Amino acid sequence: MRFMLLFSRQGKLRLQKWYTSISDKEKRKITRELVQIVLARKPKTSSFVDWRDLKIVYKRYASLFFCCGIEQEDNELLTLEVVHRYVELLDKYFGNVCELDIIFNFEKAYFILDEFLMGGEIQETSKVSVAKAIEDSHLDLLVSETMEEYMNKPTF
Amino acid sequence: GDKALDGYSKKKYVCKLLFIFLLGHDIDFGHMEAVNLLSSNKYTEKQIGYLFISVLVNSNSELIRLINNAIKNDLASRNPTFMGLALHCIANVGSREMAEAFAADIPKILVAGDTMDSVKQSAALCLLRLYRTSPDLVPMGEWTSRVVHLLNDQHLGVVTAATSLITTLAQKNPDEFKTSVSLAVSRLSRIVTSASTDLQDYTYYFVPAPWLSVKLLRLLQCYPPPEEPAVRGRLTECLETILNKAQEPPKSKKVQHSNAKNAVLFEAISLIIHHDSEPNLLVRACNQLGQFLQHRETNLRYLALESMCTLASSEFSHEAVKTHIETVINALKTERDVSVRQRAVDLLYGMCDRSNAQQIVAEMLNYLETADYSIREEIVLKVAILAEKYAVDYTWYVDTILNLIRIAGDYVSEEVWYRVIQIVINRDDVQGYAAKTVFEALQAPACHENLVKVGGYILGEFGNLIAGDPRSSPLIQFNLLHSKFHLCSVPTRALLLSTYIKFVNLFPEIKGTIQDVLRSDSQLKNSDVELQQRAVEYLRLSSIASTDILATVLEEMPPFPERESSILAKLKRKKGPGTLPDLEDTKKEKHVDVNGGTEPVTAVNASNVSTPSPSADLLGLGVAPSQNSAHPPSSGGSLLVDVFSDVVPSVAPLAPSAEENFERHMSGHCPLLECCCASPDLPSTEVVTEEPPAVPVHDADELIDKFICKNNGVLFENQLLQIGLKSEFRQNLGRMYVFYGNKTSTQFLSFAPNVICPDGLQSELNIQAKPVDPVIEGGAQVQQVVNIECVSEFVEAPVLNIQFRYGGALQNISVKLPITLNKFFQPTEMLSQDFFQRWKQLSSPQQEVQNIFKARHPMDPEVTKAKIIGFGVALLEGVDPNPENFVGAGIIHTKTIQVGCLLRLEPNTQAQMYRLTLRTSREVVSQRLCKLLSEQF
């Protein structure tokens, strides 16, 4: 997988993960282009779009589009399931995840993705193992506070 | 404050910075604190530190050593969580520097016996990432065999990660990883035969370990079918099991179940196609895909079409694929999703052979009328290729291409219509039919310009074949074509003019009519030089040359040499991996065709000239002079000499680099040449627009900037000419030596360089350019001396305009001469005290000009010093209290006044900015100097 983008139905980017080095300018260009392409797709169409030399695999969950860029020889259907597994993991962690969870806990969304994918390849497919890794690492976070809470504290 | 922050606050602030950065603002402090967090023992602090580092720190940062150290510590810590964080950071950054620092350590962690499973997984994928960025830094070694054995690991997560790594490594080093084949087969076999509950949470919606299965199947696609019969048998069994499972009723209604199951199935089919050795499996795969073609899931239909397309190229399954033709055609008509339709087009193209070509081409043409704009060009190319490849009857081919132009003229690229002309010219059995068909097609009140091009060309060559029919008499043909003339673009009009002159030869009876047209003001005085030149020359040719000469010059085109279709090449490029159609490519394409077009000329000459050497290639003209000598001084002959003499020199061989460009020029400027060759690349006239005779001044300021701090160098260079400069200045006087180098092997004639001062500059600068010889031999260099006197301060730069004739074409180049105000500087040394005294004296707002700007080059103090000295002022050491700053002083000398000048340059390396301050007694001078110098850093 070359990259994964999450954006809302309004086209707002919520999360981006790039697995190859691309300049920021190029990233912005790609994002803009893909948001446009994906949002313009009609319902009931396939989840796959040819784009440049890549294949775009996307799926909508509630108000969020998950959009992955994969190589020609990568497996499209399984990419859909990668997305699904990621959603399941988010769901398990946040409990009925919604767009706001990802906005306000962006760093956790990234950490969970990191536990699951690395360098664009699946690291761990077992939901239990990933969830355990996340739980373990968050032990001391859970006893202290959430990101959201301490972002809201006054600085002095 | 002074108080050191505790870990918690540090984390908090770093996190806030990160948040601010993610909102899109620049962060330029806090890096150090983030690095400190890396060495914390608290997980969350370390985690935020790593997140900050991987998002914000770029590789050339000075902190990189500290960061690498922290990572090293964590890797050595034996704490799996910390090791995991460190590995993630390396993979997330994934830069070459990271690879340099850690590529050697990670394999050790990966194969060490006591490494935790989760760390092994991270290590495998981290190594994979580094290998992708810098394969040269990941050395193969004894660890490779141990990595292969990870395929046998108990932990399925480890196996999954290891398989990804091995697949990528095996693609580049197949021999090193050969042993992985049998291990992968046995692992795969254990998975596919396991019950759905055996693998616990590696079972995904009742499908056992789909990710691992797919990865193993991908790994096997790096190798040919296994040679060992036992392994091979086992693999075949696996693949059969997977195909069998597809027929079983689903264990769940969830889409995840079917997706995961079919993902494995499609990957298995890919492997079967890759091996291409088991006819039985191939046909089963094809049948399975056939079922999917009518599945209600759009995704499955899409993938089935895609997969079947590769299946079509296998000899074992080609026939099986063909049985689905009706379904695919139906998909083309009824699918609502353009990406699915696109796949259907691909598949139709893939399954096309002689038996079904007519049907498929007809369907594709049908579809073209409603096709999405984004895929039209590709369909056009495909139709053109199929029509040519499987044409039994060339009349069908001609009809098809004309239909293409009618339906989707805008998407018919040059390659396509060049090709139809090449084929018609090469096959005399179709010429009469082609002439008749284009004539009929042109009757339509509105027809596409491409049709006019093809029609014009073909009638010009073969109009005589249908002239016997009173309904298509010469005059009617001519009037028909000419009725389109005014609606066409310049290249097409140029082509039509060539057709007209060909008509003069084919049909002497309408010569008068054609001459009238050529003689009309709209032709002879056309504002487009190309058209004008063609009209003038064709008119003269038609009125002066004898019928013999006309017949020879305007002879029918000889056959084109057979070669790979340029359309096919274009399609390949279009489909090739990683091709975003880029300009460079399209340009090259044009060259190819320009070349292709000129080739047949050799053939023309072959009949007339005894030595068809490659250099003779443009010789359409070489013929003329010799013929001329055979018919001495008839007035017609002498004109021909005139017309040709311009051209003749260009026949000499050229340096390869200049050649392409040259040919473009030639074809653009010498219509006569083309009328002899009448190659299908006539519209190359468009080249002319790239370099119109009134050349704008070559992107002047950039050229000048190069010379602000130096006096010698290359001022300008193109395919033909190089201009070098050497100059010296003393007080208000200067002398410039301009060197003109002829890069070609052909003479430049009427070579006339002129220095022009724009209005106003004339009174400020006195410039006197010595005359030069009007001829520059091929490969020779000529020097021109230019004397300069600066009368008063000035801003504009003089322009050097060069005109010459090269191969009959008038070239016109304009470049700004880098004579700038700072050239008349005399450096002035002074002490700190004097400097500041003068600095204060020049403190009124008009005298000071300041500019703050971003550094465009690396901020190297030595380079900066050299530039300031090159600018002409004295660099004063020890004047500015801040040693980072640069201070300079000098006097501008002009004939009328002298202007003292002080400057100060303050670099800010952190922000990569400069502040430049100039103080002189004259506002104009301050401004000009400040602008000139600002461009340099």
Side-chain angles (χ1 to χ4, degrees), chain B residues 305-535:
Chain B
L305 288 166
E306 184 182 60
S307 228
M308 220 178 225
C309 197
T310 43
L311 209 49
S313 58
S314 161
E315 51 170 324
F316 299 116
S317 49
H318 184 80
E319 288 304 316
V321 170
K322 271 169 63 185
T323 58
H324 298 287
I325 185 167
E326 293 304 330
T327 323
V328 182
I329 288 173
N330 198 36
L332 196 59
K333 288 178 177 157
T334 56
E335 279 293 346
R336 271 183 297 175
D337 182 351
V338 57
S339 12
V340 181
R341 290 197 300 266
Q342 165 101 54
R343 287 287 86 87
V345 172
D346 287 350
L347 178 53
L348 282 179
Y349 179 72
M351 67 164 74
C352 189
D353 60 18
R354 210 171 281 279
S355 71
N356 55 18
Q358 301 235 358
Q359 185 189 8
I360 286 180
V361 166
E363 288 299 341
M364 282 168 108
L365 274 175
N366 253 341
Y367 173 56
L368 191 55
E369 299 200 43
T370 52
D372 204 79
Y373 295 111
S374 58
I375 59 174
R376 281 195 183 185
E377 191 185 352
E378 202 184 313
I379 300 179
V380 167
L381 287 175
K382 286 186 163 155
V383 170
I385 290 168
L386 292 178
E388 181 188 336
K389 196 167 165 193
Y390 298 115
V392 190
D393 174 5
Y394 276 86
T395 58
W396 173 68
Y397 170 75
V398 171
D399 285 340
T400 306
I401 301 293
L402 291 182
N403 261 332
L404 269 185
I405 296 176
R406 185 178 54 78
I407 296 169
D410 286 340
Y411 299 91
V412 173
S413 56
E414 289 172 343
E415 287 82 359
V416 174
W417 72 262
Y418 287 178
R419 190 72 191 157
V420 68
I421 285 173
Q422 286 179 6
I423 286 178
V424 169
I425 286 180
N426 286 9
R427 305 194 59 95
D428 35 20
D429 53 331
V430 76
Q431 287 161 355
Y433 179 79
K436 182 165 158 285
T437 321
V438 289
F439 177 77
E440 279 162 8
L442 283 169
Q443 305 283 350
C447 50
H448 194 272
E449 195 167 330
N450 278 335
L451 182 65
V452 179
K453 287 179 185 163
V454 175
Y457 197 102
I458 288 182
L459 291 180
E461 293 293 326
F462 309 113
N464 54 331
L465 299 178
I466 55 167
D469 188 327
R471 283 167 301 173
S472 53
S473 71
L475 191 60
I476 293 177
Q477 284 186 39
F478 173 74
N479 285 337
L480 179 62
L481 280 177
H482 197 56
S483 69
K484 316 284 181 194
F485 187 89
H486 300 280
L487 301 170
C488 291
S489 65
V490 170
T492 309
R493 289 190 198 186
L495 188 148
L496 285 177
L497 287 179
S498 296
T499 302
Y500 298 169
I501 188 71
K502 286 230 155 192
F503 275 176
V504 169
N505 177 42
L506 288 181
F507 314 122
E509 63 267 37
I510 57 166
K511 184 171 169 182
T513 319
I514 291 174
Q515 282 176 329
D516 285 345
V517 168
L518 291 176
R519 202 177 287 124
S520 71
D521 277 357
S522 61
Q523 308 298 353
L524 278 189
K525 295 185 181 165
N526 196 296
S527 61
D528 187 276
V529 279
E530 175 69 26
L531 294 180
Q532 193 185 90
Q533 195 173 355
R534 282 186 193 224

Side-chain angles (χ1 to χ4, degrees), chain B residues 838-848 919:
Chain B
R838 284 167 208 234
W839 185 263
K840 270 181 214 147
Q841 282 168 0
L842 296 169
S843 58
S844 83
Q846 298 90 28
Q847 291 168 333
E848 180 187 287
R919 288 190 178 185

Side-chain angles (χ1 to χ4, degrees), chain B residues 716-724 738-744 748 751 776-783 804:
Chain B
F716 171 85
E717 182 156 26
N718 68 7
Q719 303 277 358
L720 307 175
L721 177 71
Q722 185 192 53
I723 305 176
V738 189
F739 299 92
Y740 303 99
N742 181 343
K743 290 171 66 183
T744 72
F748 291 165
F751 189 85
I776 304 184
E777 296 295 339
Q781 195 180 56
V782 170
Q783 171 191 324
F804 59 96

